[in-house]
Amino acid sequence: MMHFAFACAVLFLLWPRLFLRAEPGDRLAGVFALFMKAACLYIVLGYVLVALRLYEFMAVAAVLALLSARRLWQRGGKQARADLTRQLRLRFYAMFDGGLRLGRPWRWKHAQGTNALRPSGERDVRSEADLGQGDRAVNSQRAAAGAHWRARLRDWMPSALLLAVLGAGAYIRFYDAVHYAAPALSDGAVTLAWMKYISERILFHDGLYPQGLHIILSLLEKFAAIDPLYVQKYTGPLCGLATAAGFYFVLSRLTGSPYAGIAGAAVYSFGGSFLMGGDWERQAATNAQEFAFVFIFPSLYFLLRYLQTGGRFAFRTALAGLGATGFVHTLALAYAGMGVGVCLIAAALGRDTRAWRRIGAAAAGAAGTAVATYAPIQIGAWLGIPMHGSSADFLTSTTAAVIPELTGADKLGLGALAIIAASLLIGWKRGERRLAEWFALGMGTASFLLYYIAPYLTKSLVLAARTQVLWALGICFVTGFAWWSLWRAAGARRLRPAVEAAAVAACLVCFATVVRITPIVTYKMDWESMYRQYLRIAGEQPPHTWGMFSQEEGYSLVYSIGYHEYVRTLVAMYDPSLPPLTRYGQPAPDPGLAPTLFIVEEKQVYRVPKHLTIYEELARERYAKHEEERRLLADWLQVYSAHHGAPEIYYEDAQIRIWYIERPEAKDKNYRRLWGSPT
């Protein structure tokens, strides 16, 4: 976990400061701006280096070092760069002349205190007036100190509440990743394999699909220097946490109220199945869709800032966030595109923000970003690479969608929209934060219509399956904004911050109680002990010196770390009566196998819970095959044991048994090939 956290901090917090310009003034805005720009840059860099077969840690580090050097060199004027060059040259020659001498980086200075004792014998003679003035001064100082601490307490209340929300959200999402080694959901093995393909400099191995998430995962694995399984498991929960923090950032900046941001972040953190239905489990899994959600609302916020102020920094940051979204997930980009349209309409409705040049530039920039993010897919299509099969089928499939019944979460979102609309009408003359109000009302309404009507009209399976989670994002946003709309009516009263903080805390407790916050425990696709033993094997054996025979789930685990073959290959192609392991019809053991081999035998075939929609397909296809191969492997091992003795058992429990075979002749052959021995 520490290696993963260190890699995230280096790639997204520390190093980007050397080659990207941070947002001046607002530190949190600077953090999100650096994160979105860095993510977009890393994805583009990954695409280019993988296509050129140059994708390695040293190549990535070299490019980032060159960007950092260029940024540092551009700081200051021409004379400053000339002076720096002269100083470096002098230090270079001085180092060879007399050695490098380092001066003191700082010096301690001890200032004389104000409470020094008076010399002995000196008397303190003051009049009564002086004493009265002194008492009044002390009282005023005490009053000022009390006001100072009350102000400090008011400032720390939002931070404490936000930390509580994010901490609870982290516990909910990271619980599964910390306690279980198996990847979450059915997409876990695919995501793990695709990130390894990127590390092996292979693009679109299984067909055309946006590779942004897998490039980021591969990059994190290179900098963290840990097993890819850990990176795959930890990234998903971190994405959910970053999305909640993004809601706080966007809402607190649009409304000027940190409590509005806390409300939006809390709904996303604790929403559970009440908010997202069956998609709640995805919050603990690593999927491209959830990673793309991190960028959507922060990108729209920076676009709103550009439409209001015309700042180029905000414009470039918004395009970088939209670019990262498009490189990661197409549906998320479409939802962000809807948000861009809402931003443009909101700007056109406001008298102060109706700058057609900015509106046109924003529209052109967003369209250009969509074209740029689709470019890798189009180039792959020109090269003859087909679309990813299951994704293409999912995208083009239709279903008999119906208008859904309103749930409690839907009513929460609609109630928040009603509050925002009422606040907009009541405060029409004031015009305070008018652009933000128009955007909140439009984005919430569009999200609801996308969920409520669009699947029924289009019969699209994609919209029927995924628009609920998009509407859930809208619910989080409008709920936080409605909180600000309600409290704006209270005005700037003296006790308002304390009362609002108490109300937020009470609502957090009530909401957490109603939705019954519990850690997310996802379904898996194989036995937990299988993944734990893989981590044990990978930790004990040097890379690429061992192999494993197992079922489909073992392929993504072993690939690029060891060598993987399927159980059906073992029983169909290797003769158990011949010296291990010899193919049928061959006179000698297979030279292509690793010297150390592990055979995973399923004592019980793993089955996912029956209530899941994928169970019927798995039971119809995979489970029957696994049962047959389990019987064939038992027969193969019986014959092998009769001729060579039973292999050593590496691990065994009630579900699986792992056999261990070491082939000394294979190791000897590798040594002779390494040292060039003729025999």
Side-chain angles (χ1 to χ4, degrees), residues 248-311:
Y248 169 79
F249 161 65
V250 173
L251 286 166
S252 63
R253 269 53 181 177
L254 286 180
T255 64
S257 169
Y259 299 107
I262 293 171
V267 175
Y268 187 81
S269 295
F270 308 149
S273 56
F274 169 81
L275 179 68
M276 298 183 182
D279 286 336
W280 176 240
E281 276 190 313
R282 296 172 65 93
Q283 290 291 304
T286 301
N287 293 293
Q289 176 180 276
E290 279 64 35
F291 182 61
F293 287 168
V294 178
F295 303 96
I296 293 178
F297 278 93
S299 301
L300 298 178
Y301 163 76
F302 282 106
L303 187 63
L304 287 173
R305 278 192 51 186
Y306 167 71
L307 293 172
Q308 190 168 33
T309 64

Side-chain angles (χ1 to χ4, degrees), residues 344-362:
L344 300 180
I345 295 174
L349 292 176
R351 182 179 302 176
D352 299 333
T353 56
R354 195 182 298 131
W356 298 112
R357 180 175 297 180
R358 298 177 193 168
I359 294 175

Side-chain angles (χ1 to χ4, degrees), residues 71-85:
R71 175 66 180 163
L72 292 173
W73 183 255
Q74 288 179 340
R75 292 180 180 178
K78 182 178 180 180
Q79 184 61 39
R81 290 194 293 269
D83 294 341
L84 178 61
T85 304

